[in-house]
Amino acid sequence: MAFMEKPAANKLFLDDTAPLTAVIEASQSLHSHTADIIRVQRGISMENSWQVVRRYSDFDMLNNSLQISGLSLPLPPKKLIGNMDREFIAERQKGLQNYLNYITSNHILSNYEPVKKFLDPTNYAANYTEIALQQVSMFFRSEPKFEVVEPLKDIGWRLRKRYFLMKCKNQPKEPLVLSWADMGPDKYLQDKDFQCAIKLLPSWTHPYIYRVTFATAGESSALIIRPFNEKGTLKDLIYKAKPRDPFLKKYCNPRKIQGLELQQIKTFGRQILEVLKFLHDRGFPYGHLHASNVMLEGETCRLMDLENSLLGLPSFYRSYFTQFRKINTLESIDVHCFGHLLYEMTYGRPPDSIPLDQFPPAPSMSVVSVLESILSCEACKSGMPSVSQLLQMPLFSDVALMNTEKPQFKIPTKLKEALKTAKECMEKRLAEEQKSIYQHRRLTRAQSHHGSEEEKKKRKILARKKSKRTNCESGEEQSMKCNNSNNSGSGTSSPLTSPSSPTPPSTAEHASF
């Protein structure tokens, strides 16, 4: 069998998308300064938590690194005099907690490397740029025709993925981009199958898949070279961003929020759905759809980063769809992610939260119909439509596709079986995580209900009633003892009776029978 027998998460590789929560537990004095003790937790398990100690200067340094986002971050101001005052320390602690809540709840900021290092220095101590450079240097020893022009710093969101601008010595005027990525927790392919799949990437062509120039893999990472498109991705078009800028600068706080025109939404949406259907029909697991993974060439969308699922990397939207147990297959993941992408194309920004009960005005009600079928409360609760069903909806069904390029996407039978098993392992890990989240949510609700003021009042009333009943029963018992004592003193005995039982007949009445 070409796979790990146990379909659990690969423990060697951390799931970087698992949300971190941070709570300031206390403050402590350090010489003339104070430091905050922060309890950090990954995911829902209290067992997966730790403490970090951070001074205000550490918060300030983190805040400076986040300024590139253009967001107004709620870091409380620094105070030089009276900063050891108890009231001030308590007030600032509240402000710092609010700051941490803001950062950890922002989908882009929470995945930013300085934030991860601030909250989890043990797991994120490595210098991933240096690791990537070492891997790339080793690659160039065997492939001297390529040359590094410059690093493309922070253009992506993944911590363990690095980008370099490249050129081929034979064609120096055609820019290339090299991406190096580490493996993730959903890497279930055996090394032989993994190497085979990576090497096939340059041979796969499709009118809506962005071509790969070169691909190779090491023991725990992969290196992919593609043409560099100066016009950028679909997300760059939506946010009017420069492709070479850092991810935070491009997408955190766009200057102008404006969706695409209806015809673009229809055309791009249809093209993306077509390639998703193609991949699903071929048995290739994707699960990594978002606007930054869609390259634009003129009016044609081309899907990128097919290697992500081979590497076992977590999806950009994983923290969203793990909340809904009906989104439990790779196809339903792609459909859910398509809903996010369609929302961005329509409104020029991501949704504030998922699920949504109401949608802002759109260029057409047919757009809202598709969004409702994916992102509404009912859809998230009952399940996603299939890709084929989306293609049949009025928004996309009348779009004429002009590209007639014939796809080339051959997968050997053995590898196809290996991909199928890997897909099942990914879905099983997802189902287990969703089950844990569901159980945790139920327990939290029960504890919250038990601790509510209304419940406390009910318990107090019941306690009073029980106390009165106990006192009443105790008084009756004492009265009975007194009566028995009196009867014993007069030399007459009588059977004991309970207050509710009938009085036994007298001996005289028995004699008459």
Side-chain angles (χ1 to χ4, degrees):
M1 186 177 178
F3 286 82
M4 298 177 185
E5 291 182 3
K6 186 180 179 182
N10 192 327
K11 300 298 183 183
L12 295 174
F13 306 105
L14 192 67
D15 187 344
D16 295 319
T17 63
L20 297 179
T21 53
V23 177
I24 299 176
E25 294 184 321
S27 296
Q28 64 180 19
S29 297
L30 294 174
H31 304 296
S32 59
H33 300 280
T34 60
D36 294 289
I37 302 170
I38 306 170
R39 171 67 61 181
V40 185
Q41 181 176 314
R42 175 175 286 104
I44 59 172
S45 175
M46 282 292 291
E47 295 176 0
N48 197 5
S49 67
W50 58 92
Q51 285 183 333
V52 291
V53 178
R54 293 288 182 243
R55 290 168 52 174
Y56 181 84
S57 58
D58 299 320
F59 279 92
D60 190 48
M61 192 179 299
L62 172 65
N63 194 62
N64 288 335
S65 72
L66 298 177
Q67 291 304 305
I68 194 171
S69 68
L71 295 169
S72 180
L73 302 169
L75 182 70
K78 187 174 183 178
K79 187 178 182 182
L80 297 175
I81 300 173
N83 58 5
M84 299 297 289
D85 181 72
R86 282 188 180 182
E87 289 185 7
F88 169 74
I89 291 172
E91 193 63 32
R92 187 165 74 178
Q93 187 174 313
K94 288 181 183 177
L96 292 175
Q97 183 62 62
N98 181 50
Y99 180 77
L100 289 173
N101 294 344
Y102 183 92
I103 290 172
T104 54
S105 62
N106 184 295
H107 188 55
I108 295 179
L109 294 182
S110 61
N111 284 295
Y112 189 44
E113 186 175 351
V115 174
K116 296 286 190 183
K117 286 181 179 288
F118 181 86
L119 295 175
D120 189 2
T122 302
N123 282 307
Y124 298 101
N127 187 321
Y128 300 110
T129 301
E130 284 186 9
I131 295 171
L133 281 169
Q134 290 172 5
Q135 298 287 328
V136 171
S137 298
M138 290 175 64
F139 158 71
F140 283 131
R141 293 173 190 170
S142 58
E143 295 290 338
K145 65 179 180 179
F146 294 107
E147 183 180 327
V148 173
V149 177
E150 63 176 316
L152 295 170
K153 191 178 179 183
D154 298 332
I155 65 165
W157 68 275
R158 289 190 186 276
L159 279 79
R160 304 169 201 269
K161 195 167 191 176
R162 291 294 184 268
Y163 299 86
F164 301 88
L165 191 64
M166 309 282 295
K167 67 179 180 181
C168 182
K169 291 179 181 178
N170 298 333
Q171 297 171 305
K173 292 186 178 180
E174 294 184 14
L176 304 169
V177 60
L178 180 150
S179 64
W180 169 89
D182 210 348
M183 290 178 181
D186 277 320
K187 195 269 182 183
Y188 295 108
L189 285 169
Q190 286 282 17
D191 291 343
K192 187 178 178 181
D193 297 313
F194 172 68
Q195 294 278 351
C196 174
I198 291 292
K199 287 177 181 177
L200 281 172
L201 287 173
S203 68
W204 290 341
T205 61
H206 185 279
Y208 306 124
I209 292 178
Y210 198 57
R211 67 187 175 92
V212 171
T213 304
F214 182 88
T216 188
E219 291 182 0
S220 62
S221 60
L223 186 152
I224 313 294
I225 297 178
R226 295 180 174 87
F228 182 73
N229 187 345
E230 291 288 356
K231 293 185 177 180
T233 64
L234 178 57
K235 200 171 183 82
D236 293 324
L237 174 70
I238 295 169
Y239 289 77
K240 300 169 181 60
K242 297 177 181 177
R244 298 194 192 199
D245 281 345
F247 200 85
L248 261 67
K249 183 178 181 180
K250 289 188 286 188
Y251 309 131
C252 262
N253 189 27
R255 293 179 181 177
K256 187 177 181 182
I257 298 174
Q258 184 178 354
L260 304 182
E261 295 178 3
L262 179 60
Q263 192 54 47
Q264 286 180 308
I265 295 170
K266 290 168 67 72
T267 302
F268 295 163
R270 175 65 187 268
Q271 291 170 353
I272 293 165
L273 289 173
E274 286 289 342
V275 69
L276 288 177
K277 185 177 186 304
F278 175 85
L279 291 174
H280 294 154
D281 290 346
R282 297 302 185 281
F284 187 90
Y286 186 55
H288 291 273
L289 179 63
H290 60 94
S292 289
N293 274 355
V294 179
M295 189 62 72
L296 269 182
E297 290 187 322
E299 290 298 305
T300 302
C301 284
R302 302 189 192 273
L303 207 61
M304 292 197 305
D305 286 7
L306 268 65
E307 69 274 10
N308 283 358
S309 58
L310 305 176
L311 283 157
L313 301 180
S315 169
F316 181 68
Y317 292 117
R318 187 175 180 88
S319 61
Y320 288 89
F321 58 72
T322 50
Q323 306 299 314
F324 309 107
R325 299 182 76 181
K326 289 292 184 179
I327 306 175
N328 52 15
T329 65
L330 265 294
E331 181 175 4
S332 62
I333 287 171
D334 280 334
V335 170
H336 180 74
C337 295
F338 179 78
H340 283 261
L341 188 151
L342 180 61
Y343 191 100
E344 276 191 288
M345 286 198 293
T346 305
Y347 302 112
R349 60 179 180 83
D352 294 327
S353 62
I354 298 294
L356 293 166
D357 282 323
Q358 293 183 329
F359 294 87
S364 167
M365 278 306 297
S366 60
V367 178
V368 176
S369 296
V370 178
L371 289 172
E372 285 177 340
S373 74
I374 301 172
L375 300 181
S376 68
C377 292
E378 181 58 31
C380 291
K381 185 178 178 181
S382 59
M384 300 287 103
S386 66
V387 173
S388 296
Q389 287 172 330
L390 290 177
L391 282 166
Q392 293 168 6
M393 295 186 78
L395 181 62
F396 307 116
S397 60
D398 63 348
V399 175
L401 298 176
M402 303 300 181
N403 203 315
T404 57
E405 179 188 342
K406 188 178 180 180
Q408 297 290 331
F409 207 88
K410 292 183 180 180
I411 303 176
T413 304
K414 186 181 176 183
L415 179 58
K416 190 173 287 188
E417 287 298 315
L419 290 171
K420 180 182 177 183
T421 309
K423 174 178 172 289
E424 290 169 356
C425 291
M426 293 176 197
E427 291 172 351
K428 183 167 184 178
R429 184 175 90 87
L430 173 62
E432 289 172 352
E433 185 175 343
Q434 289 172 329
K435 182 180 178 181
S436 297
I437 292 172
Y438 174 74
Q439 290 173 341
H440 174 75
R441 195 182 294 144
R442 284 190 64 184
L443 179 62
T444 303
R445 277 201 299 262
Q447 290 172 340
S448 176
H449 178 67
H450 186 72
S452 67
E453 289 300 319
E454 186 178 345
E455 280 298 302
K456 286 178 182 178
K457 286 179 182 178
K458 286 181 181 178
R459 289 199 297 275
K460 283 181 181 179
I461 293 169
L462 288 172
R464 286 196 204 103
K465 287 181 178 179
K466 187 177 179 180
S467 177
K468 285 180 180 179
R469 191 163 55 246
T470 303
N471 290 337
C472 183
E473 289 173 355
S474 176
E476 289 174 352
E477 186 179 338
Q478 189 66 30
S479 176
M480 286 169 61
K481 285 181 179 178
C482 290
N483 289 336
N484 290 340
S485 177
N486 291 335
N487 290 336
S488 298
S490 62
T492 306
S493 64
S494 62
L496 290 173
T497 61
S498 68
S500 58
S501 64
T503 305
S506 65
T507 53
E509 288 173 330
H510 279 290
S512 64
F513 282 105

